[in-house]
Amino acid sequence: MARILIIEDDLEISGLLSEFLQENGYQTFCLYNGLHVSEAMRDHRPDLVLLDLMLPYRSGDQVLTDIRANWAVPVIIISAKGTTRNKIDLLRCGADDYITKPFDLEEALARMESNLRRAALCAKPDRLLRCGGLLLDEEKNTAFVKGAELSLTAKEYRILELLLQYPDKIFSKANLFESVWGTDYFSEDNTLNVHISNLRNKLKAISPEEEYIDTVWGIGYRLHKS
């Protein structure tokens, strides 16, 4: 069952779309403003987004930019702004399709089905990194330990990703810091140590009996080898 995220502030339109899509076998989730979209994307992992432009707090244009920067999910704009120039601009900014209000529900469904088929054909194979009880999905930017999802910051995720990509490598502190933060490393900077400590604590909270990151004294860090 495909999951559809509807971001539309008009309660009547949102309700009609949600009910119609559910009747046609889709699972729907609704947001009524431009806030908390990233959280909804992470929590619900939609297969397609229906996005209104005229949203409270954050515009649909801004939301589209955020989605496209982090997810490859198809996005269909639904808006009363129907000028050719506006459509072209949004398609160039990453929208996959455009439906002008008022619209026919059957047409909207047909456009969704077309975009979902296209996305399925273009879908990349899963990019999974595994080591022991650790699993990292590079496509979805998610990490799991013994089947439980980890709640990681972007920097913690990148540290874990590097360690899993190169399981036999010992990373110097400078190498790891510069790869993750993209700036020069200074030995007196404790930022990396704090992030490693936080990452270890999150791993141990789920799997307290296992070690996942080794400290190589005088050098840096490496993935723990059983």
Side-chain angles (χ1 to χ4, degrees), residues 103-114:
F103 55 85
D104 180 79
L105 288 172
E106 291 289 350
E107 180 187 354
L109 178 61
R111 288 180 180 272
M112 287 173 46
E113 290 171 343
S114 175

Side-chain angles (χ1 to χ4, degrees), residues 86-103:
N86 191 251
K87 292 179 181 179
I88 291 172
D89 289 343
L90 285 161
L91 290 169
R92 285 177 172 167
C93 287
D96 295 276
D97 207 342
Y98 196 109
I99 301 173
T100 304
K101 296 178 182 177
F103 55 85

Side-chain angles (χ1 to χ4, degrees), residues 133-201:
L134 282 173
L135 171 66
L136 190 143
D137 188 332
E138 293 183 293
E139 187 68 27
K140 297 178 180 177
N141 292 330
T142 52
F144 300 83
V145 58
K146 295 197 169 177
E149 186 169 359
L150 291 162
S151 178
L152 303 179
T153 66
K155 296 293 191 291
E156 290 165 354
Y157 175 88
R158 180 60 179 142
I159 290 169
L160 192 59
E161 182 180 38
L162 280 170
L163 294 174
L164 283 164
Q165 285 175 337
Y166 304 97
D168 298 318
K169 179 176 179 176
I170 299 174
F171 285 87
S172 69
K173 289 185 177 181
N175 183 201
L176 199 53
F177 183 90
E178 290 168 6
S179 296
V180 173
W181 275 266
T183 59
D184 292 338
Y185 173 74
F186 298 97
S187 58
E188 64 273 14
D189 190 335
N190 201 39
T191 301
L192 177 61
N193 294 338
V194 171
H195 278 73
I196 291 287
S197 177
N198 291 340
L199 182 53
R200 280 172 166 159
N201 289 337

Side-chain angles (χ1 to χ4, degrees), residues 46-108:
D47 299 294
L48 183 142
V49 176
L50 294 174
L51 174 63
D52 183 31
L53 289 182
M54 304 298 289
L55 295 170
Y57 307 118
R58 298 186 76 244
S59 71
D61 306 68
Q62 292 173 302
V63 172
L64 173 62
T65 300
D66 291 346
I67 292 175
R68 196 47 72 229
N70 297 285
W71 291 276
V73 60
V75 178
I76 299 179
I77 301 297
I78 46 175
S79 177
K81 292 182 176 180
T83 67
T84 301
R85 179 77 267 162
N86 191 251
K87 292 179 181 179
I88 291 172
D89 289 343
L90 285 161
L91 290 169
R92 285 177 172 167
C93 287
D96 295 276
D97 207 342
Y98 196 109
I99 301 173
T100 304
K101 296 178 182 177
F103 55 85
D104 180 79
L105 288 172
E106 291 289 350
E107 180 187 354

Side-chain angles (χ1 to χ4, degrees), residues 19-63:
E19 182 179 355
F20 178 74
L21 293 175
Q22 289 174 20
E23 289 173 353
N24 282 273
Y26 293 91
Q27 185 177 9
T28 62
F29 309 94
C30 297
L31 284 181
Y32 305 104
N33 57 57
L35 301 176
H36 310 302
V37 173
S38 293
E39 291 91 333
M41 294 293 293
R42 287 194 299 268
D43 293 344
H44 302 306
R45 297 179 187 173
D47 299 294
L48 183 142
V49 176
L50 294 174
L51 174 63
D52 183 31
L53 289 182
M54 304 298 289
L55 295 170
Y57 307 118
R58 298 186 76 244
S59 71
D61 306 68
Q62 292 173 302
V63 172

